Amino acid sequence: MRMRKKPNLLPRMERAGAVLVPEPEEYAGRWLAAFPGYSALHVELGCGKGRFTAETAESRSDILLLAVEKVPDAMVVAMERVMERGINNVRFLDRDVSLLGTFLEKGEAERIYINFCDPWPKSRCAKNRLTAPGFLRLYADALADGGEIHFKTDNLPLFEWSVEQLQAERWDLREITNDLHRDGVFPYSAMTDYEAKFYAEGVKINRLVAKKTDKTLTSAAGAPERLRNASLRDAKGREDSLAHFAAEGEKSAEK
């Protein structure tokens, strides 16, 4: 089930166009120079409707936050959120995560956020998970030495699998928890819309920080081996995620 297209998408995108970067490839290697006044570049992969985006940017006015999202019907809600709140340090990119290397130079980013990504539970789809080795090497390219991935998910099978991949790719893992809101000992982390819903329902949230070191594998190590026997038991699939996303999208389309 696909998210229903908003009939007023184009005019809404145009009205919020000041925070959209239509050709982000033109800024590769010079984001902080093109948008001066910020000390570091952070990147959110799959920003959805932008609650996390807006709250993170507000809490860190010293950073430039690039919010990457390939579903315009979700991204327009995030763009409007940022515009309505007068947040100036966010720019939106209508791009797939696989294109990360086309709009970020090596070592350009300080931090990457991955929140509640699709688990792609079937083994044959494991390469599509945003914590699969192929993606991890793209992130290692984009991050500066000592740069970090901040990863959150409600999906325990995905989380455990992701920990294994990160360890195999030689990331330094920190702040690991299977119940973020119970432990509550980690630095501030804004909630996504999904997270707020799960939290209200008592669903446990898994979180970790992965730090890039001089041992972390990058694309220079070549293509990772093909993933085998990588199915995730009891993990929600893409159709479930899209069905929920569609229901939420229909609500926001009524605005």
Side-chain angles (χ1 to χ4, degrees), residues 36 55 74 98 136 140:
E55 292 184 9
S98 63
L136 294 179

Side-chain angles (χ1 to χ4, degrees), residues 93-177:
L93 282 60
D94 180 10
R95 290 292 185 273
D96 191 275
V97 175
S98 63
L99 299 175
L100 193 70
T102 67
F103 55 82
L104 288 178
E105 289 286 351
K106 291 182 178 179
E108 190 171 10
E110 179 187 82
R111 184 177 298 176
I112 291 175
Y113 300 102
I114 306 172
N115 297 314
F116 301 90
C117 58
D118 195 325
W120 294 94
K122 295 181 180 180
S123 182
R124 68 173 182 269
C125 298
K127 65 181 180 180
N128 297 322
R129 298 169 195 159
L130 293 188
T131 51
F135 283 114
L136 294 179
R137 296 189 188 187
L138 285 180
Y139 310 153
D141 287 344
L143 287 169
D145 293 338
E148 297 175 339
I149 297 171
H150 287 217
F151 175 53
K152 289 195 291 187
T153 180
D154 63 305
N155 194 303
L156 184 58
L158 173 64
F159 187 74
E160 293 176 339
W161 184 86
S162 300
V163 167
E164 292 177 359
Q165 306 314 308
L166 286 159
Q167 290 174 331
E169 293 291 307
R170 304 175 192 173
W171 293 80
D172 178 18
L173 301 189
R174 306 176 175 192
E175 301 180 22
I176 299 176
T177 177

Side-chain angles (χ1 to χ4, degrees), residues 180-196:
L180 173 61
H181 299 292
R182 179 202 66 189
D183 294 342
V185 296
F186 305 112
Y188 172 80
S189 179
M191 286 192 188
T192 70
D193 287 299
Y194 280 131
E195 185 175 359

Side-chain angles (χ1 to χ4, degrees), residues 224-239:
E225 294 183 7
R226 180 181 177 184
L227 293 166
R228 300 179 186 277
N229 301 319
S231 64
L232 301 177
R233 291 186 177 183
D234 303 320
K236 291 181 181 179
R238 187 166 189 270
E239 293 304 314

